[in-house]
Amino acid sequence: MQTYRDHDALNRLASTENALGLHTLVAERLSDEAFTEINDWASLLHVVVMDRDDTPQALEQQLGFTVLHNRWNGLANDHPDFTPSWDALEVYEHWVVMTFILSDDGFGIVVFMPRGIPHALAVLCDRYAQEGHPR
């Protein structure tokens, strides 16, 4: 798992070609209107890139909160009233992208998870993507 927390690291990630197109997805986010006036993207955005062998527990350690439970009410993903804690979920050919907005100033963490990982987080993302849930 790689975490990008500073401006230079985010720039390198966005400009270094990747066979799975990660650089393009990152560059699209950094070119968003919200970032055009900002000199230091890292003040609003951190990026986590999971590897195929990373577990949901490893991601939770990196984020500081659980992803398989709702972080506000603690409900597990198998509970009928569960809603995921991400603010946006996007699915691409090679990546699942989860965005978590963590503060009122807009600071967030974007997690890039390779598609096809056989663990509970991938199953959860697939379920919500297929059902068309907004969250």
Side-chain angles (χ1 to χ4, degrees), residues 58-69:
L59 177 62
E60 291 170 0
Q61 288 178 334
Q62 193 67 237
L63 295 175
F65 56 87
T66 183
V67 291
L68 296 176
H69 291 78

Side-chain angles (χ1 to χ4, degrees), residues 4-11 30 34-46 105-108:
Y4 301 86
R5 294 185 175 149
D6 66 60
H7 190 79
D8 291 339
L10 288 169
N11 274 321
L30 297 180
F35 294 103
T36 56
E37 301 294 321
I38 296 172
N39 293 328
D40 182 15
W41 295 325
S43 66
L44 279 183
L45 173 71
H46 290 176
D105 66 358
F107 175 78

Side-chain angles (χ1 to χ4, degrees), residues 55-126:
T55 64
Q57 294 75 20
L59 177 62
E60 291 170 0
Q61 288 178 334
Q62 193 67 237
L63 295 175
F65 56 87
T66 183
V67 291
L68 296 176
H69 291 78
N70 181 288
R71 62 180 215 219
W72 297 283
N73 61 23
L75 293 176
N77 63 32
D78 58 355
H79 190 281
D81 293 329
F82 170 81
T83 56
S85 296
W86 57 66
D87 293 285
L89 174 70
E90 301 165 86
V91 179
Y92 297 92
E93 181 179 359
H94 299 291
W95 298 96
V96 174
V97 182
M98 295 165 278
T99 302
F100 300 90
I101 306 300
L102 303 179
S103 66
D104 289 341
D105 66 358
F107 175 78
I109 298 175
V110 178
V111 176
F112 291 86
M113 180 179 67
R115 292 205 52 201
I117 295 177
H119 60 55
L121 180 56
V123 171
L124 178 67
C125 290
D126 285 346

